Amino acid sequence: MSGRACAACGTKMRPDVLPATFRCGACGFLASDLPVRINAAEAIDEDVRAIALKPIRDANFTQLLDACADLLPPGTRLLDVGCAHGWFLQAATARGIAAEGLEPDRAMLAIAQVAGLPVREGYFPAALPPDARFQAITFNDVFEHLPDPAGMARAVAAALAPGGIAIVNLPVAEGFIFCAARLLARLGLRGPLARMWQEGLPSPHLSYFSAPALERLFADAGLRLVRRGELASIVTTGLYARIRYDRSVGPGRAAVLYAAALAARAVAGLFPSDIQFFVFRREDD
Ligand SMILES: [Zn+2]
């Protein structure tokens, strides 16, 4: 796709390191043309995926809800877009937030509904009644999968009550691991970067935002940045046990691997985290 315009600032984007990816030299926004196949017949193993993802997601949700506790008092009417298994809904509900979800993937929807969570099938905002208004709308690892981020930011502004907030939690272009993977791809090792874009998965990443690009996108929709923070992207809880669980790894080698993982976490701690959150408030004057 030559001549593609940046979703955040309108500048013409240039092809980036991987095929089907593009970068805006003006604001640092990256986009992809990777194919999306939600609800396609071939499914990935959701049980395995859930076990692998749940510890880091739960840790991030606790951190995010702690960081935004003053903005989300009990009773807040909240919509979680693309709620997947409903883990964020469960964490929010436990804090007294009136949380409901939207989910287009029917396998995920079934898991959330079996758990008794108030989840509606479909996409935002089409699946909502036209007069639905929320005090908070959240996108947890969802915004980077959406095909029209600028249109989405405008739809968020329209679905928020006056003074309402949007919380966007996503992997960012400034992140240490993303930058390292992009450097490796430039050197010819493309696997890690392709994995970060989730190439080949049913719902790959279509965007990697820099912080200025995301702020500009929401400002253009009438939403002002009021808070920003980092979430941990490397969880070491149980790491030694996971390394030792592989019987082929002896105690000496496991200790070396564990030390290497701790060192990687320490080095990564000196750089921007790959997972960040941004809180935008609807401006009403
Ligand atoms: Zn741009």
Side-chain angles (χ1 to χ4, degrees), residues 57-74 76 78 80 86-99 136 138 140 165 167 169 227 230-231 277 279:
R57 290 285 160 87
D58 281 346
N60 283 346
F61 293 154
T62 298
Q63 210 183 343
L64 180 62
L65 287 166
D66 284 347
C68 298
D70 59 317
L71 302 171
L72 299 170
T76 299
L78 180 147
D80 188 36
W87 296 335
F88 181 77
L89 294 179
Q90 287 170 326
T93 303
R95 294 176 184 234
I97 296 166
T138 53
N140 290 298
I165 58 168
I167 301 178
N169 149 21
R227 190 168 300 176
E230 300 196 340
L231 300 176
F277 71 88
V279 183

Side-chain angles (χ1 to χ4, degrees), residues 23 95 133 141 176 270:
R23 184 173 184 275
R95 294 176 184 234
R133 293 292 177 275
D141 278 307
F176 172 69
L270 303 174

Side-chain angles (χ1 to χ4, degrees), residues 84-251:
H85 312 80
W87 296 335
F88 181 77
L89 294 179
Q90 287 170 326
T93 303
R95 294 176 184 234
I97 296 166
E100 57 191 280
L102 262 185
E103 176 54 49
D105 182 304
R106 286 189 289 274
M108 288 288 184
L109 179 77
I111 293 169
Q113 288 178 336
V114 164
L117 297 166
V119 181
R120 210 186 292 257
E121 179 178 356
Y123 291 92
F124 178 83
L128 295 171
D131 59 346
R133 293 292 177 275
F134 299 89
Q135 292 162 302
I137 299 177
T138 53
F139 293 85
N140 290 298
D141 278 307
V142 165
F143 206 77
E144 69 275 21
H145 296 275
L146 304 175
D148 175 18
M152 191 57 53
R154 290 191 294 271
V156 168
L160 281 175
I165 58 168
I167 301 178
V168 183
N169 149 21
L170 79 180
V172 292
E174 294 96 336
F176 172 69
I177 298 170
F178 184 77
C179 290
R182 201 157 159 263
L183 179 64
L184 286 176
R186 281 185 188 283
L187 299 173
L189 187 64
R190 294 179 163 191
L193 187 61
R195 191 177 163 149
M196 295 203 73
W197 280 103
Q198 301 190 353
E199 187 183 306
L201 290 186
S203 181
H205 290 174
L206 302 184
S207 301
Y208 262 91
F209 282 93
S210 65
L214 191 68
E215 186 172 352
R216 176 164 184 163
L217 188 88
F218 277 85
D220 286 349
L223 296 165
R224 185 172 60 89
L225 182 69
V226 293
R227 190 168 300 176
R228 176 185 170 192
E230 300 196 340
L231 300 176
S233 52
I234 301 177
V235 172
T236 45
T237 309
L239 180 66
Y240 186 75
R242 291 204 294 277
I243 292 171
R244 281 292 287 145
Y245 185 75
D246 181 346
R247 298 284 175 189
S248 68
V249 178

Side-chain angles (χ1 to χ4, degrees), residues 6 8-11 24 26-29:
C6 171
C9 76
T11 303
C24 171
C27 75
F29 173 70

Side-chain angles (χ1 to χ4, degrees), residues 251-285:
R253 192 147 174 264
V256 170
L257 287 173
Y258 186 61
L262 289 184
R265 189 182 64 162
V267 170
L270 303 174
F271 295 89
S273 173
D274 281 76
I275 307 177
Q276 300 192 16
F277 71 88
F278 301 79
V279 183
F280 301 96
R281 188 183 293 283
R282 185 179 138 174
E283 298 281 79
D284 295 277
D285 40 16

